[in-house]
Amino acid sequence: MKYVITGATGHLGKKVTEELLELVPKEQVTLGVRSPEKAAVFKEQNVHIEKMDYYSFDEQTAVFRGADVVLYIPSITHPSEQRITEFRTSVEAAEGVGVKHFIFIGFTADHWNNPFHMSPFFGYAVRRIAMSSMSGTIIRNGVYADPLIPYTEELVRTKRLPYPAGRGAVSFITRRDLAKAIAAVAAGPDRHGGLYTLTGMQAYTMEELGELLSNITGERIRYEPMEVQEFARTYDDGSGFGRVNASLYEAVSMGLMGEVTPDVEKLTGKPPEMLRSYLERHLL
């Protein structure tokens, strides 16, 4: 069995690679990365690395040739249209060289009415896989818990949770728990062809998140949401990502981002880490 992992040097991709190498021989794994120098830690382990740009059909064809399974971890490119172009190129390259199975790492923002600005990409991706000559597995992950760690310093300083999420709840999950479950899917052929939604064990409203962070940090953090447009302006870095981020919290306010499933435990045999435990480990 030959596996190809795309985006293997990203925050999630690196962890997926680490977890898959615990389950299958390294000789079966190839990493397709835009910048091979960023994969030095895996090169030291003698993992096969190939340069592969999401926009290059030829590079992807060369990397995918002979692969049984492709684990596709999307780039963080936005807007959606650019990411769709990347994905279409990857799927066509994989189909062209006879890849047997395509695992798409998506997000729980693929609803028909989801206002998140990247939602069109997730909707397109699952439909494109459905019409493909390859068999496919769809993995929908919850919201990453990891960014809460660097954000907490600001939250403590301002004593405010500003996210325009209304009364909606968010199901957070760590990238490490996601990686363990994704690797379990990839390494188990009997799990190929399914739909998995990987979330934490509990969804949190912003009031509940503020109380949790307050208890852990010892500083009172209240939920005082900004208006959507104010949030977009405040957290824009010049790339327009502030509006993208704000649209995610619009989806939260509609009750679309609070799914909770037992899929992680079913796949790994262990429940995902509770958010409280994760935050305490990194903040205390």
Side-chain angles (χ1 to χ4, degrees):
M1 187 78 77
K2 177 183 176 182
Y3 301 88
V4 173
I5 303 175
T6 75
T9 57
H11 291 301
L12 178 60
K14 181 178 179 180
K15 290 178 173 60
V16 169
T17 300
E18 291 168 349
E19 296 298 335
L20 186 61
L21 289 172
E22 292 290 324
L23 301 178
V24 304
K26 63 185 177 184
E27 292 78 14
Q28 296 182 6
V29 178
T30 293
L31 308 182
V33 298
R34 182 174 295 171
S35 303
E37 62 273 12
K38 293 183 179 180
V41 65
F42 296 118
K43 184 176 182 180
E44 292 172 0
Q45 299 174 42
N46 295 317
V47 178
H48 187 60
I49 298 165
E50 293 280 357
K51 183 180 183 303
M52 192 200 82
D53 190 284
Y54 281 115
Y55 281 104
S56 174
F57 180 84
D58 291 341
E59 286 183 358
Q60 292 188 84
T61 295
V63 175
F64 293 160
R65 183 171 284 111
D68 299 290
V69 179
V70 168
L71 285 80
Y72 186 89
I73 301 173
S75 73
I76 59 173
T77 302
H78 67 90
S80 252
E81 290 75 13
Q82 293 181 21
R83 206 182 291 192
I84 287 172
T85 298
E86 293 178 348
F87 180 76
R88 183 171 60 245
T89 302
S90 297
V91 170
E92 290 174 355
E95 288 174 327
V97 294
V99 169
K100 297 179 179 65
H101 192 72
F102 198 96
I103 299 176
F104 173 67
I105 315 302
F107 186 42
T108 54
D110 51 6
H111 318 86
W112 71 270
N113 62 334
N114 197 305
F116 181 42
H117 285 196
M118 296 311 301
S119 185
F121 165 68
F122 298 111
Y124 170 82
V126 298
R127 299 313 309 151
R128 180 61 182 84
I129 292 172
M131 63 173 277
S132 173
S133 58
M134 303 177 288
S135 65
T137 297
I138 306 300
I139 294 178
R140 304 166 71 242
N141 62 261
V143 177
Y144 295 149
D146 308 53
L148 285 173
I149 303 303
Y151 289 166
T152 297
E153 181 178 352
E154 176 183 345
L155 300 178
V156 168
R157 177 175 55 81
T158 61
K159 303 186 186 306
R160 176 188 186 186
L161 268 176
Y163 310 127
R167 297 183 179 277
V170 177
S171 178
F172 294 100
I173 183 169
T174 69
R175 290 190 181 102
R176 180 59 65 186
D177 280 330
L178 281 173
K180 289 180 182 295
I182 291 167
V185 171
D190 58 318
R191 293 165 172 157
H192 293 177
L195 170 67
Y196 302 96
T197 299
L198 308 179
T199 72
M201 297 177 66
Q202 177 183 345
Y204 291 81
T205 65
M206 293 301 100
E207 288 87 353
E208 291 169 335
L209 180 60
E211 182 177 356
L212 178 61
L213 288 168
S214 297
N215 291 338
I216 292 173
T217 64
E219 299 287 344
R220 183 60 179 157
I221 300 173
R222 291 181 171 83
Y223 178 45
E224 297 177 358
M226 294 179 176
E227 294 295 328
V228 171
Q229 294 301 328
E230 179 189 4
F231 184 89
R233 290 192 302 270
T234 301
Y235 290 95
D236 186 32
D237 60 2
S239 69
F241 194 73
R243 187 68 188 91
V244 175
N245 200 21
S247 70
L248 175 61
Y249 289 102
E250 288 185 82
V252 174
S253 72
M254 294 170 63
L256 298 176
M257 303 305 298
E259 292 180 65
V260 173
T261 81
D263 285 359
V264 171
E265 185 169 7
K266 287 181 178 179
L267 290 166
T268 67
K270 295 181 179 179
E273 185 174 14
M274 293 296 292
L275 184 60
R276 173 181 289 276
S277 169
Y278 176 75
L279 293 174
E280 287 177 342
R281 282 198 300 110
H282 287 85
L283 294 175
L284 296 180

